[in-house]
């Protein structure tokens, strides 16, 4: 056996153990990416091999938590894919404005950059106080960070450019206070967002949503888990509600596609039909 | 036992459009291996490059989608702003993980995941580029018993990436772009002998 194959076996055993002891199931995550993340975690840890890590990992919750932080961190940015946010502003928000109150589920929000981008967009469109956004993630450490609304100041230039390309016309600097190397997002953006833990592999739906966003999260899942997520989103959405996926994620070839129309081709904004 | 190559992975950056047009343009329609490519580009570059290359190439060129099955004689281009990876089951996956070697897509990510799946049956190619992405990945390909090909730095529009690859590992072939397609054809199996099973060593 090649060292690489030994490692593959070790990873399978480790994920099996993690599921049995801690109830977090990563066996339906796509192998290549989770292997990269696990290998990265191992390199930063005190352990030489996964077998060596396993013994402590299964007995000491703090070791497991460091692993969990390491393998569930998704990176996000504000107004990632400006064309997507432009389409949201121009083609989705007009529909949302026809409701007295809208509920939005942002699944896999990571450190919250996209949730805050949505809040900026909705507030600019006069919807402040007329929506609640449930921003969820499996990783409670990133959720805590998301709740703080603090972004590295060095990122702000890029985010500002994204914001402008997405059709934003206000002064982006008004949305945060610069403090040393950090940008603290304005509390007005936080008041309509609820950050909460949710595990797409095991937890249930969020009822009666007008919009579900889940971008670049399911790309890490195997087809079975992807299917589960889409069913979850489908049953969470009201008729006429919007489903927003990442630019490389599509409903094509999926059974539920017939219940949805793609609003902005290529930008993965789908609207659930009424019938 | 003679090995039967199962895939070609290519990493390329500055000067890549021209280099890929030339290389892919010289591959015949019956080239029997799948070709997976990371070309560095801006995050908002769109999918125009795949269309452009498809026009000048006898093989089918497409931008990679998640869960694409890896088929012989097809060229898959990593989408802008995503890493491209190979899954054990013989399909592709994408990731939005942080930049690796200052790039997303990163050739290192593609090469390392392909090496884990295809082992010795993989051909890694590093072409022109003004950075060092691909050299760590090429080293991994070599460690797994695969073959490493690098564009002759003197022939490359930007020589840093080929030079870094040559410095990183024992490269099997250093060739000018003009000879690259012929070399790949020599290494690739005839289409009739192409294994139908693309699942790599686990198969």
């Amino acid at each position: 056996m090649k060292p690489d194959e030994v490692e593959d076996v070790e990873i399978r055993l480790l994920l099996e153990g993690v599921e049995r002891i801690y109830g977090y199931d990563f066996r339906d995550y796509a192998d290549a990416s989770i292997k990269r993340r696990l290998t990265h975690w191992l390199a930063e840890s005190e352990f030489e091999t996964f077998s060596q890590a396993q013994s402590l990992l299964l007995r000491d919750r703090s070791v497991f938590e460091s692993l969990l932080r390491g393998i569930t961190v998704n990176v996000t940015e504000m107004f990632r894919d400006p064309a997507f946010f432009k389409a949201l502003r121009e083609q989705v928000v007009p529909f949302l404005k026809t409701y007295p109150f809208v509920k939005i589920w942002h699944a896999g929000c990571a450190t919250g950059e996209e949730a805050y981008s949505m809040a900026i967009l909705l507030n600019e469109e006069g919807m402040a106080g007329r929506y609640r956004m449930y921003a969820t993630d499996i990783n409670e450490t990133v959720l805590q960070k998301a709740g703080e609304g603090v972004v590295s100041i060095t990122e702000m230039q890029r985010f500002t450019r994204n914001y402008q390309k997405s059709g934003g016309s206000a002064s982006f600097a008004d949305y945060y206070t610069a403090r040393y190397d950090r940008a603290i997002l304005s509390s007005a953006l936080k008041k309509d967002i609820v950050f909460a833990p949710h595990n797409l592999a095991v937890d249930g739906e969020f009822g009666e949503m007008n919009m579900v966003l889940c971008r670049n999260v399911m790309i890490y899942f195997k087809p079975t888990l992807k299917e589960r997520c889409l069913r979850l989103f489908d049953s969470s959405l009201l008729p006429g509600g919007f489903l927003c996926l990442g630019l490389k994620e599509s409903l094509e070839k999926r059974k539920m596609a017939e219940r949805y129309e793609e609003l902005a081709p290529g930008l993965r904004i789908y609207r659930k039909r009424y019938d | 036992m003679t090995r039967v190559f199962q895939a070609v992975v290519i990493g390329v950056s500055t000067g890549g459009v021209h280099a890929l047009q030339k290389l892919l343009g010289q591959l015949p329609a019956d080239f029997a291996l799948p070709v997976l490519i990371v070309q560095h580009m801006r995050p908002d570059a769109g999918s125009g490059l795949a269309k452009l290359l498809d026009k000048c190439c006898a093989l089918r060129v497409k931008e990679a989608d998640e869960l694409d099955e890896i088929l012989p004689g097809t060229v898959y281009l990593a989408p802008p702003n995503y890493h491209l990876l190979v899954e054990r089951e013989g399909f592709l996956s994408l990731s939005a993980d942080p930049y690796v070697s200052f790039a997303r897509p990163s050739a290192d990510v593609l090469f390392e995941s392909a090496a884990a799946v295809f082992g010795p049956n993989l051909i890694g190619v590093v072409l022109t580029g003004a950075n060092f992405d691909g050299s760590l990945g090429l080293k991994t390909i070599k460690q797994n018993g695969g073959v490493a090909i690098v564009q002759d730095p003197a022939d490359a529009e930007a020589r840093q990436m080929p030079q870094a690859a040559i410095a990183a590992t024992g490269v099997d072939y250093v060739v000018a772009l003009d000879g690259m397609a012929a070399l790949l054809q020599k290494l690739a199996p005839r289409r009739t002998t192409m294994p139908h099973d693309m699942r790599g060593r686990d198969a």
Side-chain angles (χ1 to χ4, degrees):
Chain A
M1 245 192 187
K2 300 249 161 51
D4 227 42
E5 292 175 65
V6 172
E7 197 169 82
D8 284 351
V9 172
E10 286 180 303
I11 287 174
R12 276 181 215 190
L13 293 172
L14 184 119
L15 295 183
E16 166 99 24
V18 161
E19 196 279 327
R20 294 240 197 137
I21 307 277
Y22 299 107
Y24 283 84
D25 193 351
F26 295 107
R27 292 170 302 178
D28 281 334
Y29 279 49
D31 293 319
S33 283
I34 197 143
K35 187 175 171 179
R36 262 202 93 80
R37 289 178 176 191
L38 282 168
T39 311
H40 191 78
W41 172 81
L42 185 69
E44 306 266 289
S45 77
E46 64 202 275
F47 310 109
E48 295 283 322
T49 64
F50 288 114
S51 302
Q52 208 186 73
Q54 175 142 316
S55 146
L56 203 57
L57 184 73
L58 299 183
R59 286 176 178 83
D60 182 342
R61 194 174 175 100
S62 70
V63 177
F64 164 67
E65 275 167 5
S66 106
L67 178 97
L68 186 65
R69 282 195 296 275
I71 64 179
T72 60
V73 175
N74 288 324
V75 284
T76 75
E77 53 188 89
M78 294 187 83
F79 294 94
R80 180 185 161 118
D81 308 320
F84 164 79
F85 280 94
K86 192 159 198 276
L88 270 191
R89 191 188 288 269
E90 290 169 0
Q91 297 179 55
V92 174
V93 170
F95 284 108
L96 297 181
K97 280 182 179 170
T98 64
Y99 298 94
F101 194 83
V102 298
K103 295 204 289 181
I104 298 167
W105 178 19
H106 189 137
C109 67
T111 38
E113 281 81 351
E114 282 201 341
Y116 286 115
S117 307
M118 270 296 286
I120 288 173
L121 195 156
L122 293 171
N123 292 1
E124 285 184 357
E125 296 295 321
M127 292 190 64
R130 286 176 51 201
Y131 67 92
R132 174 147 302 136
M133 195 188 319
Y134 302 91
T136 67
D137 202 277
I138 185 179
N139 182 328
E140 302 202 23
T141 310
V142 296
L143 274 180
Q144 198 194 336
K145 201 158 167 256
E148 290 164 6
V150 177
V151 182
S152 156
I153 197 91
T154 53
E155 299 271 49
M156 273 309 184
Q157 256 186 349
R158 190 158 57 101
F159 295 170
T160 304
R161 274 198 307 274
N162 282 354
Y163 164 76
Q164 285 158 351
K165 281 192 211 160
S166 80
S169 53
S171 159
F172 199 62
D174 291 347
Y175 292 118
Y176 64 90
T177 315
R179 183 99 21 107
Y180 305 107
D181 56 344
R182 302 181 309 162
I184 300 155
L185 294 168
S186 131
S187 57
L189 300 174
K190 294 176 195 170
K191 68 181 185 42
D192 296 314
I193 309 179
V194 181
F195 290 100
H198 182 278
N199 181 348
L200 287 165
V202 292
D203 292 334
E205 64 195 55
F206 275 62
E208 310 205 308
M209 293 291 134
N210 301 93
M211 183 188 245
V212 174
L213 275 103
C214 185
R215 305 180 69 228
N216 299 319
V217 176
M218 290 185 293
I219 52 173
Y220 297 103
F221 298 164
K222 284 184 182 164
T224 41
L225 183 51
K226 224 171 266 194
E227 225 20 78
R228 180 188 199 272
C229 295
L230 285 171
R231 275 202 308 275
L232 213 55
F233 300 154
D234 188 32
S235 56
S236 300
L237 273 172
L238 288 166
F242 297 89
L243 176 63
C244 303
L245 307 177
L247 293 192
K248 294 301 286 180
E249 299 166 313
S250 119
L251 288 187
E252 228 177 284
K253 293 181 217 153
R254 292 187 193 274
K255 229 194 314 170
M256 66 182 269
E258 60 199 36
R259 287 197 297 285
Y260 288 78
E261 62 171 317
E262 188 164 13
L263 214 67
L267 296 177
R268 313 305 183 197
I269 302 175
Y270 298 90
R271 188 169 199 213
K272 190 172 179 177
R273 296 180 197 278
Y274 279 94
D275 38 286
Chain B
M1 204 188 84
T2 53
R3 66 177 151 190
V4 180
F5 288 108
Q6 291 182 303
V8 179
V9 289
I10 299 176
V12 57
S13 185
T14 316
V17 178
H18 179 67
L20 288 172
Q21 277 180 318
K22 198 162 175 182
L23 171 57
L24 297 177
Q26 289 175 4
L27 287 174
D30 64 351
F31 185 70
L33 296 177
V35 181
L36 315 175
I37 301 175
V38 161
Q39 157 76 66
H40 293 162
M41 55 185 123
R42 292 166 48 95
D44 57 355
S47 37
L49 182 60
K51 288 180 193 122
L52 177 80
L53 292 174
D54 191 44
K55 278 188 200 130
C56 66
C57 174
L59 300 166
R60 176 173 176 242
V61 183
K62 78 179 293 283
E63 187 178 285
D65 283 302
E66 54 161 0
L67 300 182
D68 268 351
E69 197 187 343
I70 303 171
L71 298 171
T74 309
V75 180
Y76 303 88
L77 195 66
N81 218 7
Y82 288 90
H83 294 300
L84 175 64
L85 300 97
V86 175
E87 295 290 333
R88 227 195 333 257
E89 296 84 352
F91 59 85
L92 298 173
S93 67
L94 302 173
S95 121
D97 277 0
Y99 285 33
V100 173
S101 308
F102 304 101
R104 188 175 61 205
S106 150
D108 283 336
V109 172
L110 171 65
F111 286 11
E112 282 164 19
S113 75
V117 170
F118 295 116
N121 302 322
L122 180 66
I123 303 170
V125 181
V126 172
L127 302 177
T128 169
N131 54 76
F132 54 85
D133 187 27
S135 53
L136 282 176
L138 201 66
K139 191 174 169 188
T140 309
I141 291 176
K142 284 300 294 175
Q143 281 166 350
N144 281 266
V147 159
I149 303 175
V150 175
Q151 183 179 6
D152 186 345
D155 176 61
E157 197 170 318
R159 60 180 59 200
Q160 288 92 328
M161 215 159 104
Q163 274 171 343
I166 292 167
T169 186
V171 171
D172 299 283
Y173 303 91
V174 176
V175 289
L177 201 55
D178 254 337
M180 192 89 61
L183 174 61
L184 289 176
Q185 282 179 81
K186 202 177 81 187
L187 294 172
R190 299 264 159 262
R191 204 153 214 190
T192 47
T193 63
M194 184 63 203
H196 293 290
D197 201 332
M198 293 302 299
R199 278 175 293 172
R201 291 172 301 163
D202 274 14

